[in-house]
Amino acid sequence: PFGVIPKGFKCDGVTTGGLRFIASPGGSLFEAAVLHDWLYVNRVRTKSFADKAFHRTALLYDVHPVRAWLAYQLVRYKGKGNY
């Protein structure tokens, strides 16, 4: 529904705030993190929308549901700001 994320888009991968047991920067949550960052940078809809898209994308890429939920909680509560 968002089209293609442009080649060259800069993303730092998964930022876990030191909670490496949830994910590594380029690990299983990477695709969800790229979409999430792109939505944030481009202010697509709301922060809540971007956070939910992160969770749905993680599940689509077969991240274990518990791990996807934990990561979603991190972006939801620790994500920077609200646009």
Side-chain angles (χ1 to χ4, degrees):
F2 304 110
V4 176
I5 295 172
K7 182 178 180 176
F9 175 72
K10 302 288 187 217
C11 173
D12 61 358
V14 180
T15 307
T16 60
L19 302 174
R20 288 262 193 217
F21 65 92
I22 292 177
S24 63
S28 61
L29 290 163
F30 183 74
E31 288 84 359
V34 171
L35 174 62
H36 188 254
D37 286 1
W38 187 83
L39 292 171
Y40 260 45
V41 166
N42 292 286
R43 297 181 183 263
V44 175
R45 297 192 189 177
T46 64
K47 179 184 181 308
S48 176
F49 177 82
D51 295 348
K52 288 174 186 172
F54 171 87
H55 184 241
R56 288 190 308 268
T57 303
L59 294 172
L60 282 172
Y61 278 86
D62 294 324
V63 174
H64 189 280
V66 172
R67 201 164 180 212
W69 182 83
L70 286 170
Y72 166 66
Q73 295 305 315
L74 274 176
V75 299
R76 189 169 160 219
Y77 291 109
K78 298 285 187 180
K80 291 184 175 135
N82 193 352
Y83 54 87

